Amino acid sequence: LLPRLRRHDAATVRRLSAEHARDARLAAGTIRSLRAIVAGTAVEDGELRDAASFARLHRQHLQFEETMVMPLSR
């Protein structure tokens, strides 16, 4: 989808790519924290804030895809 969108709106594709990279990093940290919690290991407050940030930012990303990307893809 992204290569086709690039012809219509390169700025949107750049934003999506940057957000995908950011979300991958935040998701990896969140998964590590969750695994630590399951294993009975304490996690630091910063790690919990990172998980909350991931959830908030990913919801915003999905909303952007629904309102901007899906109409472009049609």
Side-chain angles (χ1 to χ4, degrees), residues 29-30 32-33 36 42-52:
T30 299
R32 281 191 302 275
S33 295
V43 295
E44 296 181 18
D45 288 343
E47 293 171 299
L48 297 175
R49 282 191 298 275
D50 289 348

Side-chain angles (χ1 to χ4, degrees), residues 9 12 63-73:
D9 191 342
T12 294
Q63 183 178 4
F64 177 74
E65 285 184 340
E66 287 293 322
T67 60
M68 297 297 292
V69 176
M70 293 308 291
L72 283 172
S73 69

Side-chain angles (χ1 to χ4, degrees), residues 43-63:
V43 295
E44 296 181 18
D45 288 343
E47 293 171 299
L48 297 175
R49 282 191 298 275
D50 289 348
S53 291
F54 168 71
R56 180 179 49 78
L57 292 168
H58 196 63
R59 278 192 302 271
Q60 290 173 358
H61 175 82
L62 292 174
Q63 183 178 4

